[in-house]
Amino acid sequence: MIERTVAEISTALASGDISSVELTQAYLHRIEQYNTDLNAFITVCEESALEQAKAADKSRSDGDCKPLLGVPLAHKDIFCTKGVTTTCGSRMLQNFVPPYDATVVEKFNAAGVVTLGKTNMDEFAMGSSNETSFFGVVKNPWDTARVPGGSSGGSAAAVAADLCAMATGTDTGGSIRQPAAFCGVTGFKPSYGRVSRWGMVAFASSLDQAGSICKSAEDAAMMLNAMAGLDEKDSTSIDKATVDYTATLNDSLEGLKIGIPIQHFAEGLSAEVEQNILDALKVYESLGATIKEIDLPNNHLSVSAYYVIAPAEASANLSRYDGVRYGYRCAEPVDLEDMYKRSRSEGFGEEVKRRIMVGTYALSAGFYDAYYRKAQKIRRLIRNDFLAAFKEVDIILGPTSPHTAFELGAKSDPVAMYLEDIYTIAVNLAGLPGISIPAGTVNGLPVGLQLVGEDFAEAKVFNAAHQFQKNTDWHRNKPDLTGMES
Ligand code: GLN
């Protein structure tokens, strides 16, 4: 049962084939077996999970039939969870126990899910490999010598290894889609504003977006049904009606216009990954879609613009960690300045400090116009490219990542790591919805296919992804975990 999709689990729970308690026990057992090696979870909430499962079974027998009732989930450790440590992958928040739940957590609780625990992640969501976590690297279940991708690598590895049925993630520049691609699972980032950011530890506020990591587009639609909506506690959440995202999953793709950005099929893309994406296009053509090349002429500037804007926002957001109110405080400070300095130097890891320095520099009086303002102008050009493309096509399709999962330690140069997000970052700069779905393998490692939609066209993205999954089995592929049990 644990290998099934959320939709299938939901049906099994409804028919009484399995109880939430049985299911929760199975996942907890699986976590016990495999988490030592994979390191996908930072915190496991065994006791409360079983209590929630019991309560869910009880509500069900009382007639409650919410679709996610009793389905076990894991939250990325960036979401504040009342009474449960929320580390954001950092020493700075190692002992931080929030007094409240993030809106996303509250909404999933209201949907009746069982929370199994909190998943590992790159420190403050900065990274593409899950190697920057204070709690150690996460390993890719397909090959433990390789990274799971980042920053939501714990969530992706946990879903891939069936340690949970579904997980939350956040995506600032690719952190849901890229790990989903590397781990052979489905990862969805909604349009900016669709899901509340309240209670999510802030990295780059104009880019951060909560989303889902799961086993199918149908599951992602079910998860968005639970997560989406206006939240008055987040002024950037949008006042726009949500729909039932599962309602149009089975619409025909006859006449769907798919755009292929020429820039995504250029130098740097692995030939084998490219072949998988071209094969996927054939599936779409057989379903009645038409294919058209499109131009995203400013895409090559996306990584540079992002690495000015995101660090700038991070430098402001992370100024709150001063050792005074909460978070890590150095031992025996001699004065206030010493406390600030040492708390931050000792509490933050290397990559986080690099971002704070870059961001502070980019925002400083002498360089603001040259870097920050210019990056914002480029951001607008990038968004305009997408808007122009969507005048001609309904969906944009391409690879999620230029290659499959790389080996642990392979990218020691920060710029090489930053270039990992070459196909995903522009989507965040433009605020659009995007999904990564498994679409093949290269040497036994999963390949991710990215679909991007117009502003708030989440339902259309799910529809296109679901139709592919109905006609292929890549999302059913499982890593072989033999020999990994502890
Ligand atoms: N890899 C990108 C970064 O390091 C994106 C991270 C994210 O989406 N949170 O900033």
Side-chain angles (χ1 to χ4, degrees), residues 76 78 121-129 132 150-152 170-179 189 203-204 207-209 306-307 310-311 351 355 417-421 424-425 428:
K76 182 177 183 178
I78 197 168
M121 55 179 286
D122 277 304
E123 185 178 9
F124 283 100
M126 298 172 186
S128 302
S129 67
T132 73
S151 66
S152 313
T170 60
D171 193 311
T172 304
S175 277
I176 286 177
R177 291 160 288 156
Q178 186 252 17
K189 176 197 101 69
F203 162 13
L207 297 155
D208 296 344
Q209 184 50 222
Y306 173 91
Y307 278 98
E351 182 58 28
R355 307 273 179 121
M417 190 68 87
Y418 297 169
L419 284 167
E420 276 302 300
D421 294 318
T424 52
I425 272 185
N428 298 75

Side-chain angles (χ1 to χ4, degrees), residues 192-261:
Y192 182 77
R194 182 74 290 174
V195 174
S196 168
R197 291 185 298 110
W198 194 78
M200 214 168 94
V201 177
F203 162 13
S205 307
S206 76
L207 297 155
D208 296 344
Q209 184 50 222
S212 49
I213 296 189
C214 48
K215 292 171 188 172
S216 72
E218 182 179 21
D219 290 4
M222 291 174 76
M223 287 179 76
L224 190 62
N225 277 352
M227 294 164 95
L230 174 69
D231 178 9
E232 58 190 26
K233 292 193 232 130
D234 172 7
S235 60
T236 61
S237 86
I238 187 113
D239 188 4
K240 191 175 169 65
T242 56
V243 296
D244 174 1
Y245 295 99
T246 62
T248 46
L249 288 172
N250 285 311
D251 282 7
S252 157
L253 297 191
E254 196 65 52
L256 182 82
K257 288 186 245 136
I258 296 181
I260 307 299

Side-chain angles (χ1 to χ4, degrees), residues 319-364:
S319 66
R320 72 190 68 177
Y321 304 104
D322 55 6
V324 178
R325 285 156 296 186
Y326 62 100
Y328 177 82
R329 181 183 295 173
C330 67
E332 294 168 30
V334 296
D335 56 23
L336 187 65
E337 179 147 340
D338 180 49
M339 184 182 75
Y340 287 156
K341 251 195 212 158
R342 282 202 294 122
S343 296
R344 287 170 68 81
S345 316
E346 293 165 17
F348 290 135
E350 200 179 321
E351 182 58 28
V352 173
K353 283 187 239 179
R354 180 179 295 122
R355 307 273 179 121
I356 293 173
M357 285 173 68
V358 169
T360 307
Y361 179 83
L363 289 178
S364 61

